[in-house]
Amino acid sequence: MRIGELSKRTGVATRMLRYYEEQGLISPRRSHNGYRDYDDYLVDRVQKIRGLIDSGIPTRIIGNILPCLGKPQVIVVEDADPELREILAEERDRMTEKIRFLTHNRDAIDSYLDALDQAMTGSRAQAS
Amino acid sequence: MRIGELSKRTGVATRMLRYYEEQGLISPRRSHNGYRDYDDYLVDRVQKIRGLIDSGIPTRIIGNILPCLGKPQVIVVEDADPELREILAEERDRMTEKIRFLTHNRDAIDSYLDALDQAMTGSRAQAS
DNA sequence: ATTGACCCTCACATTAATGAAAAGGTTGAT
DNA sequence: ATCAACCTTTTCATTAATGTGAGGGTCAAT
């Protein structure tokens, strides 16, 4: 498919799709005319990329993470770059930290909201 | 304490401490000479700010979140700004989404690492 | 009173992720 | 063959979070 359709299907602006390509995250083929030609599986990948970016993972790191996600892992396992393993393990740990942190603070916000709601129970009020 | 010490204690660059101030996230007193003078409790707050920023929450939003974190919540409950409640609820939901996503992908990376390790079990190898 | 380690403000530079517009080629339907 | 809709590349702009340096006070110790 071409960039416009991929954009519609993923909700990611064409500008960004080109940007991800520039960052080496996706490499669509080109048709005779020069138009980018995307495979179907890239819909999925682009959505993953978006999610990772929205989670605060920089593109530079996403490049390393992508090969691990939802693929027949046996294929890639052979490389076993000594450094890459380290990078991945570190990133995993960073993510775990982030998760811990986010969970903690999300819960704090949540109970604050509960407190708010309870505080105005006197005035017969709403829910989340 | 002065900015240098706060920086050392939190691991956050002085430049950033001034930036957070500019963004209205902290408001240290000034001593006679004009030096910023930070209370002890700000060590904690600064660390929270860092964590939130590292989690991809923009400072603009952190300002709203801060009052909910680890404080005697009764104090703030009175305001009950109708819009603020919405903002907070939305942010909480965004955070929940982020947590879900991060967890999912962290697990993917993790099992990829497991696969890597198993793949080189033949060559007598390491752990995470 | 000078030195060194702090602090101040101001301001310009940089990086990542985007937005946006200019100038032009491709395609498909009429 | 022309028009609209889509594609291309290039370039410049913007925002958030930072780095960095200039130019200059403060202060404690020597």
Side-chain angles (χ1 to χ4, degrees):
Chain A
M1 86 197 70
R2 289 180 304 178
I3 201 171
E5 190 183 344
L6 181 59
S7 173
K8 264 173 213 150
R9 284 221 232 163
T10 58
V12 174
T14 60
R15 173 69 174 84
M16 286 301 102
L17 294 173
R18 299 200 184 94
Y19 177 66
Y20 300 156
E21 181 176 349
E22 189 185 314
Q23 302 301 306
L25 302 181
I26 46 181
S27 316
R29 263 171 287 101
R30 296 303 182 118
S31 345
H32 62 89
N33 49 17
Y35 288 13
R36 291 170 177 78
D37 187 17
Y38 298 89
D39 289 326
D40 277 16
Y41 79 89
L42 289 175
V43 173
D44 228 69
R45 172 181 286 222
V46 166
Q47 281 164 342
K48 264 169 196 156
I49 293 173
R50 272 269 29 118
L52 288 168
I53 285 178
D54 288 345
S55 302
I57 316 271
T59 56
R60 157 182 39 96
I61 289 176
I62 295 180
N64 296 320
I65 290 181
L66 276 181
C68 328
L69 306 186
K71 292 287 149 192
Q73 295 161 335
V74 218
I75 298 174
V76 208
V77 149
E78 291 310 333
D79 62 1
D81 182 338
E83 307 197 32
L84 181 61
R85 199 202 174 280
E86 263 321 292
I87 294 176
L88 285 180
E90 276 169 29
E91 193 53 30
R92 175 201 53 189
D93 293 345
R94 244 189 304 279
M95 285 170 88
T96 300
E97 255 319 290
K98 231 177 227 185
I99 290 166
R100 194 199 317 290
F101 197 90
L102 278 173
T103 304
H104 179 76
N105 288 123
R106 192 252 341 242
D107 290 349
I109 294 177
D110 208 30
S111 57
Y112 182 81
L113 283 171
D114 283 354
L116 267 193
D117 289 348
Q118 281 201 339
M120 48 174 54
T121 288
S123 48
R124 271 326 217 113
Q126 63 272 71
S128 168
Chain B
M1 85 196 71
R2 290 179 302 175
I3 201 170
E5 191 184 342
L6 182 58
S7 173
K8 263 173 214 151
R9 285 222 232 163
T10 58
V12 174
T14 60
R15 172 68 172 87
M16 286 301 102
L17 295 172
R18 300 201 184 94
Y19 176 66
Y20 300 156
E21 180 176 349
E22 187 185 316
Q23 301 302 305
L25 301 182
I26 46 182
S27 315
R29 263 171 288 100
R30 297 301 183 119
S31 346
H32 62 91
N33 49 16
Y35 289 11
R36 290 171 177 80
D37 187 17
Y38 299 89
D39 289 326
D40 278 16
Y41 79 90
L42 289 175
V43 173
D44 228 68
R45 171 180 285 223
V46 167
Q47 280 164 343
K48 264 169 195 157
I49 293 174
R50 271 269 30 115
L52 288 168
I53 285 179
D54 287 344
S55 303
I57 317 271
T59 57
R60 157 181 40 96
I61 288 177
I62 295 180
N64 297 319
I65 291 181
L66 276 180
C68 327
L69 306 185
K71 293 288 149 193
Q73 295 161 333
V74 219
I75 299 174
V76 208
V77 149
E78 292 310 332
D79 62 1
D81 182 339
E83 307 198 32
L84 181 61
R85 201 205 171 278
E86 263 321 291
I87 294 176
L88 286 179
E90 277 169 29
E91 193 54 29
R92 175 201 53 187
D93 293 346
R94 243 190 304 280
M95 287 169 87
T96 300
E97 254 318 289
K98 233 175 225 186
I99 291 166
R100 195 201 316 290
F101 197 91
L102 278 172
T103 304
H104 179 78
N105 288 123
R106 192 248 346 237
D107 291 349
I109 293 177
D110 208 30
S111 56
Y112 182 83
L113 283 170
D114 283 354
L116 266 192
D117 289 347
Q118 282 200 337
M120 49 174 54
T121 288
S123 48
R124 267 336 213 108
Q126 63 271 73
S128 166

